[in-house]
């Protein structure tokens, strides 16, 4: 897909609509941006007490963010390694 900006009604340049709806563009953005950069996950106050957690979706991945028993923040892929056994 070529990045040729189109003109809107007000003469401003904008990307073609396919850039907002294309599965291929989404996959490239996920790979090049979201998988290679630090992302805002949430506020520390969301998990202020040991044992608190929340789940975050990043692209096609589910991430669990938690405050462990020692009060340290941790993040893991939200999968069960025992699935199917």
């Amino acid at each position: 897909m070529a990045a040729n900006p189109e003109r809107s009604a007000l003469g401003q340049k904008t990307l073609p609509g396919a850039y907002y709806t294309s599965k291929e563009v989404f996959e490239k953005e996920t790979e090049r941006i979201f998988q290679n950069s630090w992302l805002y996950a949430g506020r520390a106050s969301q998990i202020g007490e040991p044992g608190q957690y929340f789940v975050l979706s990043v692209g096609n991945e589910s991430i669990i963010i938690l405050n462990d028993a020692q009060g340290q923040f941790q993040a893991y892929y939200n999968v069960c390694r025992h699935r199917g056994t």
Side-chain angles (χ1 to χ4, degrees), residues 2 4 13-14 17 28-29 31 35-36 48 52 57 63 66 68 74-75 77 82 84:
N4 293 326
K13 292 183 180 181
T14 183
K28 285 181 184 178
E29 287 179 342
E31 177 186 332
Q35 292 179 353
N36 291 313
Q52 290 184 317
S57 293
I63 308 296
L66 60 98
D68 69 17
Q74 307 286 336
Y77 286 105
H82 301 98

Side-chain angles (χ1 to χ4, degrees), residues 5-56:
E6 298 175 354
R7 296 273 179 187
S8 73
L10 299 175
Q12 300 297 317
K13 292 183 180 181
T14 183
L15 293 173
Y19 281 85
Y20 302 98
T21 59
S22 166
K23 181 178 178 180
E24 292 79 18
V25 171
F26 175 73
E27 288 171 354
K28 285 181 184 178
E29 287 179 342
T30 298
E31 177 186 332
R32 295 178 183 172
I33 299 170
F34 300 114
Q35 292 179 353
N36 291 313
S37 302
W38 285 97
L39 300 173
Y40 171 80
R43 299 182 59 87
S45 62
Q46 289 177 261
I47 52 173
E49 299 294 324
Q52 290 184 317
Y53 67 92
F54 65 90
V55 176
L56 171 73

Side-chain angles (χ1 to χ4, degrees), residues 60-81:
N60 294 325
E61 299 291 347
S62 178
I63 308 296
I64 186 166
I65 313 285
L66 60 98
N67 187 340
D68 69 17
Q70 290 75 40
Q72 299 293 310
F73 296 155
Q74 307 286 336
Y76 301 97
Y77 286 105
N78 189 21
V79 296
C80 175
R81 64 186 200 163

